[in-house]
Amino acid sequence: MCHLQLRTLIFIAWVVGYVAFLLSIRRMWTGKYVRSPAIRSLFMNMAGSEVAAIDTQEWYRCSPDLLGESLEPLFIQSHLDADTKAFLKRSVEKSGWLLTQLYHSLVSTVLSPLVSRTSINGFLGRGSMFVFSTEQFQQLLRIGPEWRAEKLLDIGAGDGGVTEVMRPHFREVYATEVSLPMKWHLQRRNYKVLGINEWQQTGFLYDVISCLNLLDRCNDPLRLLKDIRRSLVPNTGRLILAAVLPFQPYVEIGGQWQRPKEYVKVEGKTWEEQVTYLSNEVFRWAGFEVEAVTRLPYLCEGDMYNDYYVLDDAVFVLKALDNSEHTAH
């Protein structure tokens, strides 16, 4: 009995110490801990508005003349819009839920040696992503609000939040995901979830396939591109592909990061140079040509330490080369 009580006391002491440690390194002097909404809003505006303005401008900055003659006219300039601002606002609010964030941090620490970060996020219902808004999606595909097609496939759809942006334009929406908790989220949204080796063998083709920030996180990215090309409706089918730049491929297996079996090296030091290399070398090798490209922030909900996380994305609309062009290349 004494032994059990001692173990219980040790566990409680560990939890208390862990929470105290997190609080000690938390950015305590931020507006989210001001209790009055009015004062907090004023604090946030005074402390962060100038920095935020600078940061958000950088998220979309590109020098199209550095993309080369073939890509320069295909670049679409994007901007911070209402949907993106709404996502950022929700992220800031959630990061201020102190008890929730403490719970998330504790669970992540316990599970991370055994379970992938994606599955932990799915289990906790956190870590939602934002790639593009409805307006940005329509601008990329050059479609209007009323445009409709038959089938969309979102490969590696996560919790389905980004899929939801595209969903209104399609009569049937399919998704794939390797994480079991994320599959539950997709099923709750009534998406048709396919296995990672099933979507290529359904017997039908897709009008649009989205592959968002997956190319650098899968074991065989070149084979994936080939499978996508074969699965698109001929002529009119399009691939929407987002890639984090600089391109640094690795795969997560059971909480461990490993080099992918099929390693793609993307040359170039700047965003423009890597976009050019992907377009002229990787995509053309796989049988695609670029129809449009833009620079967007890849946003993720934050935690105790940051209101949100942001990475640099290049988002492409790709169409399949005809067989003669592909063979010649």
Side-chain angles (χ1 to χ4, degrees):
M1 189 64 144
C2 291
H3 182 65
L4 180 60
Q5 289 176 340
L6 179 62
R7 291 175 62 182
T8 303
L9 287 173
I10 291 173
F11 175 74
I12 292 173
W14 178 83
V15 172
V16 171
Y18 179 81
V19 171
F21 169 74
L22 290 176
L23 290 175
S24 69
I25 61 175
R26 179 67 168 95
R27 298 173 304 154
M28 293 301 293
W29 297 104
T30 60
K32 64 168 66 72
Y33 290 101
V34 178
R35 296 302 178 187
S36 165
I39 297 175
R40 176 181 167 187
S41 176
L42 178 63
F43 183 97
M44 292 294 285
N45 288 335
M46 290 173 61
S49 60
E50 184 177 349
V51 175
I54 295 172
D55 286 346
T56 56
Q57 288 176 13
E58 290 299 319
W59 291 349
Y60 304 94
R61 193 181 304 281
C62 172
S63 300
D65 55 307
L66 300 179
L67 294 173
E69 291 184 6
S70 60
L71 279 179
E72 182 178 357
L74 306 179
F75 178 75
I76 295 174
Q77 181 64 60
S78 297
H79 305 276
L80 182 70
D81 61 11
D83 287 357
T84 311
K85 289 179 181 178
F87 179 86
L88 292 171
K89 182 180 178 182
R90 289 194 302 271
S91 297
V92 171
E93 290 172 352
K94 286 185 177 182
S95 72
W97 299 347
L98 182 57
L99 293 179
T100 299
Q101 296 301 340
L102 283 170
Y103 168 70
H104 286 174
S105 182
L106 178 61
V107 172
S108 297
T109 301
V110 173
L111 296 181
S112 58
L114 304 171
V115 183
S116 72
R117 182 172 56 186
T118 301
S119 291
I120 293 173
N121 286 342
F123 172 72
L124 294 172
R126 71 166 193 183
S128 292
M129 306 292 187
F130 186 95
V131 179
F132 42 62
S133 66
T134 298
E135 179 183 343
Q136 290 161 350
F137 174 71
Q138 293 171 355
Q139 187 179 30
L140 272 169
L141 277 182
R142 298 184 178 92
I143 58 174
E146 304 304 318
W147 182 85
R148 296 291 183 276
E150 284 297 323
K151 294 180 176 65
L152 166 72
L153 170 66
D154 191 5
I155 301 177
D159 65 1
V162 182
T163 321
E164 198 71 21
V165 175
M166 302 180 281
R167 182 178 197 164
H169 292 285
F170 300 90
R171 296 178 179 87
E172 298 178 43
V173 179
Y174 299 84
T176 75
E177 180 55 58
V178 296
S179 165
L180 183 59
M182 289 300 186
K183 286 182 181 178
W184 297 337
H185 286 289
L186 293 170
Q187 289 165 349
R188 280 198 290 269
R189 291 177 183 263
N190 294 319
Y191 296 131
K192 299 172 184 177
V193 181
L194 303 175
I196 57 173
N197 295 314
E198 181 185 4
W199 61 270
Q200 316 92 321
Q201 304 169 22
T202 56
F204 54 78
L205 301 175
Y206 306 94
D207 297 279
V208 172
I209 295 178
S210 56
C211 178
L212 306 176
N213 302 302
L214 182 64
L215 207 63
D216 59 344
R217 295 294 177 264
C218 66
N219 252 326
D220 40 14
L222 297 179
R223 192 186 76 178
L224 174 63
L225 287 173
K226 292 284 191 180
D227 286 344
I228 290 174
R229 185 176 184 272
R230 285 191 290 266
S231 302
L232 285 169
V233 172
N235 300 321
T236 59
R238 293 295 183 267
L239 165 61
I240 302 177
L241 186 143
V244 173
L245 301 180
F247 195 80
Q248 298 172 331
Y250 62 83
V251 293
E252 185 183 10
I253 301 175
Q256 301 295 318
W257 304 109
Q258 301 178 13
R259 181 187 175 102
K261 291 185 296 186
E262 196 174 58
Y263 187 83
V264 175
K265 180 176 173 60
V266 176
E267 297 180 5
K269 295 181 180 180
T270 66
W271 186 89
E272 291 85 356
E273 288 174 348
Q274 292 214 344
V275 164
T276 301
Y277 187 90
L278 280 168
S279 303
N280 295 340
E281 302 298 330
V282 178
F283 297 153
R284 288 195 70 84
W285 179 89
F288 288 101
E289 65 176 332
V290 176
E291 194 169 69
V293 60
T294 191
R295 183 173 187 172
L296 290 171
Y298 177 29
L299 298 167
C300 176
E301 287 179 346
D303 50 27
M304 287 191 64
Y305 316 105
N306 291 283
D307 293 334
Y308 53 84
Y309 291 92
V310 59
L311 295 171
D312 236 345
D313 246 357
V315 184
F316 301 85
V317 176
L318 304 176
K319 62 180 179 180
L321 293 164
D322 63 42
N323 289 330
S324 61
E325 289 180 290
H326 186 205
T327 303
H329 182 76

